[in-house]
DNA sequence: TAGTCTATTCGCAAATTTGCGATGTGGCAA
DNA sequence: TTGCCACATCGCAAATTTGCGAATAGACTA
């Protein structure tokens, strides 16, 4: 996510063009990318609502601003539960994971 | 989780003795351990409901049985979103992450 | 313009997770 | 008992994530 170069909204549009208009075999990749984007956006929103800069949040969880920036990058795929929990803990939240059924299309 | 040596229930009891009766400073560690236990159990239940053995699920996501066993271990802390998604995808599910508020006690 | 603040990106080392075979155990059936 | 099957655990290499400083850029203000 960003203030300039690559907004989350843009990322979604780019993804749409890149995958949706392409072959349907790539739908799985789309879903994964979307899920990453979702996590990135959630972290971003959580931080914003808390009124923190990346550097401030970073300090709270014992890391640096560039790490937070990476986590909020819509293209980043390396999220770990451990990291999500560190962020959640700093913001008085807890991470809830659910496996929800997905409609199997034809 | 297991069929013999270390049941999930036992793990919870052990955790209780190890942390709860100990110093309150370790409450954070408790929460983390519990969250891991929760993920482990969810994977276990998902697999069971699908009527699969560890080896079968492993094959579906392109890994081996020992890996699944490790993921279902209540003490394992290394869950990644990528792995959860691989499992979810194999079982026609998707992973939903939520940051839920936690009551800040005195 | 210079200075400051916020955020992105790069590069590489360190830490962590994953892959996977080998080994051991318990349950169950022949 | 012997032979499987399902699972747990160990050990180590390979892959991935994290840590973090440095460089870059846009926005804003003095």
């Amino acid at each position: 996510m960003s203030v300039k170069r690559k907004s989350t909204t843009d990322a979604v549009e780019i993804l749409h063009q890149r995958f949706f208009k392409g072959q349907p075999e790539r739908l799985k990749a789309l879903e994964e990318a979307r899920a990453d984007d979702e996590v990135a956006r959630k972290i971003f929103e959580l931080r914003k609502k808390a009124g923190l800069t990346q550097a401030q949040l970073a300090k709270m969880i014992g890391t640096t601003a560039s790490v937070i920036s990476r986590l909020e990058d819509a293209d980043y795929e390396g999220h770990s539960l451990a990291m999500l929990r560190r962020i959640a803990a700093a913001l008085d939240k807890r991470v809830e994971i659910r496996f929800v059924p997905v409609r199997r299309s034809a």
Side-chain angles (χ1 to χ4, degrees), chain A:
Chain A
M1 309 343 230
S2 66
V3 167
K4 40 169 186 283
R5 269 175 252 180
K6 172 189 52 184
S7 80
T8 296
T9 302
D10 286 348
V12 171
E13 287 169 9
I14 290 169
L15 282 173
H16 183 74
Q17 292 192 316
R18 184 152 31 124
F19 295 103
F20 235 38
K21 303 185 79 171
Q23 298 142 55
E25 352 168 292
R26 291 190 184 167
L27 280 179
K28 194 173 66 181
L30 204 208
E31 284 170 26
E32 287 170 10
R34 255 208 195 129
D36 287 320
D37 174 54
E38 221 180 278
V39 175
R41 181 155 21 194
K42 275 178 177 161
I43 294 174
F44 172 81
E45 287 175 3
L46 215 54
R47 177 172 67 79
K48 279 302 179 188
K49 282 181 183 170
L52 299 170
T53 64
Q54 294 181 336
Q56 290 175 319
L57 175 57
K59 193 170 186 178
M60 292 175 80
I61 67 171
T63 187
T64 58
S66 61
V67 171
I68 303 297
S69 178
R70 183 165 49 197
L71 293 176
E72 294 181 355
D73 182 336
D75 292 332
Y76 183 67
E77 299 182 355
H79 304 276
S80 71
L81 243 44
M83 182 58 94
L84 294 186
R85 288 197 193 116
R86 284 165 64 185
I87 293 175
L91 273 29
D92 280 343
K93 301 271 190 301
R94 71 183 176 77
V95 179
E96 187 181 285
I97 279 80
R98 288 199 305 173
F99 288 94
V100 328
V102 81
R103 60 238 167 282
R104 245 314 182 255
S105 57

